[in-house]
Amino acid sequence: MKTIHLVWASVLALALSFVLVTACSSSSSSCTIGKESCPCTQGMACDPGLTCKSSQCVRLDGGGAGGGSTTTNPTTTTTTTTGNPGTGGSPGTGGSPGTGGAGGGVPPGDGGPTSDLGKACAGPTDCTGGLQCVKSTDTTWLNQGGPAKGYCSLPCMSQATCAPFGGLCVDLSALATDPPNPWCLQLCSWGGASDAATRAAKCHGRADVACYKPPATDAGAPPAFCSPTCSQDADCGTRKCDPISNVCVDMPSMGLALGAKCDPNNDQCGGTCLPLMKAQFCSQPCVLGSINQCNHTAGALTTGAHGLCALQQTGSAAGDLGFCSQECEAVADCSDKTDPGGTCDLTVKMVAGHGVCTWP
């Protein structure tokens, strides 16, 4: 699902390759964060003369907003632009990143206090306001799967569809060569505090949905959004958690298990080969702040590959995207016996029941 590069220091630094595919006007110019008709910055700021309303930059002096969308595809390696011009004013156009009010306050509400966008669901009655339930049993999203425990969402052809719900229009097609499959995903505030109130407000406090922050590009810092992130089969009921796409499927990707030594240039992992500075081993995404991730167990480590959501990006907090590392009682429990200097960090044992394999 994502191309990952990890660097292990005293705190793990995580950078994810991600490309925005935007649409604001009928020309080929891109929809830049902070410009008219485009998403606001993470500080809910826009270019001078524009106001951030429902996470979208609009002009309140009578000018119309362009009808474009911001879509994000994990597998896309090029940027394209399409869309409709604005009405009653100038069309939305691309340009330099917004500067007015940049670095302002934290976006409110992660989808808004009344929006069900991103909420868990089992059926249509669980989602209000015109949203629909994408169930874990569906074959709608990445790799023909469904989000663990369901996700209240809505198909979108433009950002204007998602903005009233506090969402972002994201392309959930599995491959860059697949037809676009855009859906509304809940916006979130990446990082911040990890107290209970802040955690509950981020992605509805879900342990199977991670706040994902795409890296900054020449166009600026894209908004963070709540991405479905199962990390174990237990998240998916009768289905399996696919370790690459992180949605529930009938036939998950196969390969080397969590913790196994791997080669990032020839990835044979069921999930993803993490290229740390001192080690390379198989992992998969998870949601920081919950013990019940990565097939964790407090019992014996004799069957299966068990892990903790222990790898995190500098500045990240509970609810943000992290990665699994193998559980251990001694370094002999760590499957990667090729990379030198490995240890079993037992400082987390009191909380997690076991230590975690590390290469400090």
Side-chain angles (χ1 to χ4, degrees):
M1 177 179 176
K2 305 175 181 74
T3 302
I4 299 120
H5 304 280
L6 280 176
V7 177
W8 185 297
S10 57
V11 179
L12 288 164
L14 174 63
L16 302 178
S17 296
F18 219 86
V19 178
L20 282 178
V21 181
T22 58
C24 268
S25 71
S26 57
S27 70
S28 61
S29 58
S30 62
C31 188
T32 304
I33 304 298
K35 301 299 289 186
E36 186 173 0
S37 307
C38 300
C40 310
T41 69
Q42 288 204 49
M44 305 307 282
C46 300
D47 277 3
L50 303 178
T51 301
C52 185
K53 291 290 186 181
S54 298
S55 302
Q56 187 175 20
C57 293
V58 297
R59 191 177 301 278
L60 299 183
D61 58 4
S69 68
T70 299
T71 58
T72 306
N73 190 330
T75 58
T76 302
T77 56
T78 59
T79 300
T80 59
T81 54
T82 58
N84 302 318
T87 57
S90 60
T93 58
S96 58
T99 57
V106 174
D110 284 3
T114 60
S115 174
D116 277 353
L117 182 63
K119 177 184 171 184
C121 61
T125 59
D126 294 330
C127 304
T128 63
L131 296 169
Q132 66 186 64
C133 180
V134 184
K135 301 184 294 296
S136 63
T137 53
D138 288 342
T139 57
T140 310
W141 287 0
L142 294 158
N143 200 29
Q144 295 299 301
K149 298 181 177 64
Y151 193 110
C152 292
S153 184
L154 196 67
C156 54
M157 294 306 296
S158 75
Q159 175 59 20
T161 302
C162 306
F165 299 99
L168 188 71
C169 193
V170 178
D171 186 359
L172 292 178
S173 54
L175 301 172
T177 53
D178 291 343
N181 184 27
W183 288 78
C184 295
L185 297 186
Q186 183 189 10
L187 286 166
C188 56
S189 301
W190 185 90
S194 292
D195 61 276
T198 302
R199 175 66 186 99
K202 182 180 294 188
C203 299
H204 294 282
R206 299 185 59 173
D208 46 31
V209 174
C211 185
Y212 169 68
K213 181 182 73 168
T217 66
D218 291 342
F225 58 87
C226 298
S227 179
T229 311
C230 66
S231 68
Q232 55 197 4
D233 291 344
D235 295 334
C236 291
T238 58
R239 304 185 87 187
K240 304 292 184 182
C241 176
D242 187 85
I244 295 180
S245 64
N246 309 118
V247 293
C248 302
V249 298
D250 294 323
M251 296 292 292
S253 303
M254 303 301 291
L256 298 174
L258 171 65
K261 170 65 179 176
C262 59
D263 180 358
N265 297 314
N266 183 25
D267 193 343
Q268 301 295 315
C269 298
T272 298
C273 184
L274 297 185
L276 305 184
M277 290 182 65
K278 297 183 179 181
Q280 298 82 43
F281 59 85
C282 295
S283 182
Q284 70 182 82
C286 53
V287 184
L288 294 172
S290 173
I291 293 296
N292 188 25
Q293 299 279 300
C294 309
N295 196 31
H296 166 263
T297 181
L301 300 176
T302 54
T303 58
H306 302 284
L308 295 172
C309 193
L311 309 182
Q312 66 182 86
Q313 184 177 0
T314 302
S316 60
D320 295 336
L321 185 76
F323 281 83
C324 302
S325 189
Q326 191 177 10
E327 286 184 89
C328 58
E329 281 295 317
V331 70
D333 295 325
C334 301
S335 298
D336 180 1
K337 303 185 188 305
T338 303
D339 292 308
T343 65
C344 180
D345 183 354
L346 296 174
T347 59
V348 297
K349 183 173 181 177
M350 183 174 294
V351 175
H354 294 291
V356 63
C357 298
T358 65
W359 278 260

